[in-house]
Amino acid sequence: MTASLFQLPDELIISALAQAFPCREAQIRALATLLCPTAAPCRNLVVYGTEATGKTAVTSALLARLAPQDDGADDLEPPSLRYAIVSSPECITARHLYETVVAKVAAALEWSDAPSRCESLSQLHVELCKMLKYPSRPSGFRFVLVLDAIDRQREAPHTLLPALARLSEIIPCLTTVFIVTVPSPNLLLTSSVPHLQFPTYTKPEFVAILSARSPPAPNPLPNSTPQETTDLWARFVGAVHDALARAACRTLPALSHSCATLWPRFTAPVLAGTHSAKEFSKLLVAARLLFHDDRLLDPGVLAVPPSQPIAKSAPAPAPAPAPAPSGDTKPPSASAAPPPPPPPPSTPSRSSSTPATATAASALATAGAGPALARLLPSTARHLLLAAYLASHNPARHDLTLFSTHHHGRRRRRGGLSVSGGGGGRGGSRAAAANKHKKIARKLLGAHAFVLERMLAIFEAVRGEWADGKDGAEVPSDGDVGMAIATLASLRLLVRVGGGGDMMDSGGKWRVNVGWDVIRGLGRAVGVEVEEWLIE
């Protein structure tokens, strides 16, 4: 009776990996089948999926389990699998990639005379053949070369991937694994290449993976059992996913970071003793502001200022008693109302918000995005963003009146273009009042597109007045202005309208991508009242 030619790896290996990487058992079994020398090894394999789906981690862990460990116990049985993993984004050029591949393969095979230079694909083929094809290897030997994120290789020639896919045709014992994000239809210019997808995690998978981890300290929560803390953590992960998965944390690391950041604030009422771990609905209502604002999760652009301790307010002094009425004094008028009585002291209840929750809510409510931008952006970028808002919300026909000093010696603002009554009579004033009542403030309307040249002209006109109120301020160079525009565009504070072309094209159209609240806070942070520069 002959032995079977197809034999999967040990089930203990697959079960251990499935436990270490939940919701990836199907991908682990497929990889084990296509990479194990005793199963159905393939020549080329394309592993693809979006960011943070476990492609590299699962592949590396599986190869580490399949390859024999060099513990020095006995060398009676020759190794049947060796592997090398090359991170392509770490290679600066294609030549750097070739030399890294040769060095990693030589290190995996313990090859002593590997060359230090490898300048072309032809030389790469020659060196790999010297190490893998020509030496005598045991029957069933397999070498797996993993090229991680090969689609992000810098200065890659268009023949790189097809040439690397041809390596397995020249070297029979070689398997090349290409890990990419989105494969093109004709990626390797060859047919019959198996593709293995790592799909994005769904909500049940997110909850299952994060629920398997223990919640942050303290664990368990005060006055709660470990099971109650675990159940609360699982429901909390689902709530964070529903609130922030589409906007702020679409990947598993981002969602894990969000849960770890919000968990202490979410469980603050439990620590204070006003709520229990079983009252999930009340905890969710008390922390609803945390799920509406993602500034706690991404402090790089909109930072939340550190919460300051709330000072205890001193009791208000008691009002002085009113003097008795006499013949020379006038009695108090009936219209003057007596001072309101002090409010009764409130007793703490389970439905009231805790001090920690109130502190977090007040920090989120009082934290302005404008001052945060003022701290993060340089001065030139701040003034350019304000000029862009004015260019996007003021009609172009009023620029001469607002920003020119040729006729008036100073700029006319806030009333220079006020609407006056038509005939001076009662009818004209009523018509003007009706028109003024029906008019909507432009700051409440959407942002309009403007030409870059107009924004730069506004910036040049108001720069001297905005820079600490000094007309003789230092003029920024063209490089500073260009860098500031590039910074605002990269942060999506300014959006290019119309697509391609040079970013600094004077005729290009742009649109500001921030609202009135942000601009007002930014202007006040730098000492500019933006309302004075808007046409009502």
Side-chain angles (χ1 to χ4, degrees), residues 203 206 238-251 254-255 258 291 294 297:
K203 179 186 175 180
F206 273 124
V240 173
H241 179 275
D242 292 339
L244 301 174
R246 293 185 179 181
C249 47
R250 300 184 180 182
T251 61
L255 184 64
S258 304
F291 297 93
D294 58 353
L297 309 178

Side-chain angles (χ1 to χ4, degrees), residues 301 373 377-378 380-382 384-386 388 450 452 455 480-497 499-505 508-514:
V301 178
L373 281 178
L377 293 177
T380 304
R382 304 174 200 167
L384 277 173
L385 187 59
L386 294 177
F450 57 86
L452 179 63
M455 182 193 72
D480 295 337
V481 175
M483 185 179 298
I485 294 177
T487 301
L488 296 176
S490 63
L491 295 177
R492 301 290 296 174
L493 301 177
L494 285 182
V495 179
R496 182 74 181 272
V497 178
D502 187 10
M503 181 179 293
M504 296 304 297
D505 182 14
K509 289 188 176 183
W510 295 76
R511 180 183 290 112
V512 70
N513 198 27
V514 292

Side-chain angles (χ1 to χ4, degrees), residues 68-79:
Q69 302 295 330
D70 297 332
D71 52 0
D74 55 349
D75 296 335
L76 299 178
E77 184 178 355

